Amino acid sequence: MQSLQSSSPPCLRPSPLTPLLKNQSKSKSHFHFPASRSSSRLRRSGASVIVNVSAPKREHDPKKRVVITGMGLVSVFGNEVDEYYNRLLSGESGIGPIDRFDASKFPTRFAGQIHGFNSEGYIDGKNDRRLDDCLRYCIVAGKKALVDADLGGDKLFKIDKERAGVLVGTGMGGLTVFSDGVQALIEKGHRKITPFFIPYAITNMGSALLGIDLGFMGPNYSISTACATSNYCFYAAANHIRRGEADLMVAGGTEAAVIPIGLGGFVACRALSQRNDDPKTASRPWDKGRDGFVMGEGAGVLIMESLEHAMKRGAPIIAEYLGGAVNCDAYHMTDPRADGLGVSSCIQSSLEDAGVSPEEVNYINAHATSTLAGDLAEINAIKKVFKDTSGIKINATKSMIGHCLGAAGGLEAIATVKAINTGWLHPSINQFNPEPSVDFDTVANTKQQHEVNVAISNSFGFGGHNSVVAFSAFKP
C-alpha cells in the first residue's frame, strides 16, 4: 500500500527521516556488493546512494537454489495463467462498476471485482458455501499451481509431504465472514454468530485449509504485512527451502475485500480514486492525473522448490527465484519516506541476497499503485540503486487489475515470470500525461518485446513494510 491522498491526522507523527544517520559522516557512503553474501553490510547517506560493484555470486548449491515449478491464480481476468497474461498484454482494463452490493452511496463505486468465480472441482460444495472468498481464492489458486507443477491428483503421493509446506498470506483475512459475524451479533445477538466466524476470519486459515486438504505437514502459516504480504511469503518460503526445512513450498497471497466494509474503510482513509465517470482509466500510475488507487481482489500462488527436489522428480522448471529482502521504513503508518531510504535499501538487499549486480536488472514490475506520493517515492528509491536506467523497463500491473492488497505481489510475480518466459512485457495503461521525473520506459499503453535478464518485483504495505523479490530464467 502506498500513501494516502491527503495529509495525515496530526496524531500520526512520522519519525525523523534520518534516524540512522545521526552518527554517520557527512561524506558520501557507498552500497558495496561483496564477493559473498554473508559478509555484506550497507552504508547509507541521506541524500544519495552510489553503487560500487564487485563480483556478486549467485547460489550454486542445488539444495539451496530455489526454482518456480508451478503458478496458479484467481483474478479479474479469470483463473488461468495464460488467459490472465494475454489479457494483460492486450492492455485490457479489468476495472468496472461494483455490482456485488449497492455502492451507490459511496464516493468510489468501482473496483477490479471478480465475476463468475467457480470453485467446482477444487472445493466440495458444502465447504464452498461456508468459506469466505479469501479462503476460496487461496485454495483454488494453490491447487491450480500444483497441477501446473505436475503435482495434480495422485502425483502428490510421490513427494514427501512432511517436507512440503504452505505459506499463503492475506492482508485483510476473511473480511466477509468477519463483517457478517459482527452484523449478526448487533442485530440478533451472540447465539446467531456462526461457529465458523473465528476460524474463517483469521488470516492463517487459508494456508491451514490448503495444507489440510493436501496433507502437507511442513511449515504452514500466514504472513500479514498489508500489501507487501505476498512478497514476504515468497521470501520466507524460499528461506525455509534454503535452510533445509522444506523441499517444496506453496507460497503467495490471497485477498477478497471488495465488500462494503472494505470499500468503506479505504474511502475513510481517502486512499481511493473517485473517477466514477471513467473507471477503466482510474488506475493510472505515474500519470499527473492520478487520484488514488483502485481496489482489486484475487490470489496468486507460486510453487517454489529446491532445484535438487525439482530435478529429481522431473518437474517443469518455469523460472528461478534468485533472492529477496524485506524491511521497514520505520517512518509513518501510511506515508512513504520522502528520502526513499527504506525502499532503496530493500532493493539493494534483495540484489545482494540474489547475488545480482544492478547492471544485470533490466525489468522492474513496480508497486505503482496510482497514489500521489507513493508512485514518485518508489521511482526516487529505484533511481538511488540503479544509476543507469536507460536499459531498464518498468511497468504497472495494477493499471489493469487494480490493487489486490495482500494478493498483489502474488499476481504481479506471475506477471513477472510470464514476462521472463514470453519475452513480452505488458503495458502500463492509462499513461496520458506522465510525470516528468519518471524517466524510465514505462511500457506506456502498448506491450513491448523485451528479453528479461533479471527482474525484480516490488511490494510495499501500510506500516512501512517493504519487500522486493528477484527472478530470472532458469539456467542449469
Side-chain angles (χ1 to χ4, degrees), residues 5 95-99 101-112 258-260 262-277 279 282 291-296:
Q5 298 305 299
I95 310 304
I98 294 170
D99 57 16
F101 58 91
D102 181 6
S104 62
K105 295 183 179 179
F106 289 82
T108 295
R109 299 184 287 278
F110 58 90
V258 183
I259 65 170
L263 179 66
F266 284 115
V267 164
C269 288
R270 293 172 288 189
L272 300 180
S273 169
Q274 297 185 16
R275 202 176 298 275
N276 295 293
D277 59 335
D291 69 330
F293 78 84
V294 178
M295 289 184 71

Side-chain angles (χ1 to χ4, degrees), residues 384-403:
K384 289 186 176 184
V385 178
F386 302 98
K387 290 306 178 181
D388 181 4
T389 63
S390 61
I392 298 176
K393 295 184 186 292
I394 182 169
N395 63 2
T397 308
K398 294 180 183 73
S399 65
M400 288 174 278
I401 66 172
H403 192 351

Side-chain angles (χ1 to χ4, degrees), residues 24 88 90 93 102 153 157 168 183 194 300 320 355 373 377 421 451:
Q24 292 187 8
L88 288 177
S90 71
S93 173
D102 181 6
F157 293 103
V168 180
Q183 188 171 355
T194 173
E320 183 166 4
N421 291 164
E451 184 177 350

Side-chain angles (χ1 to χ4, degrees), residues 89-91 425-429 441-449:
L89 287 176
S90 71
L425 304 184
H426 71 67
S428 305
I429 67 169
D441 181 346
T442 61
V443 196
N445 301 317
T446 305
K447 68 180 181 181
Q448 291 185 22
Q449 199 163 10

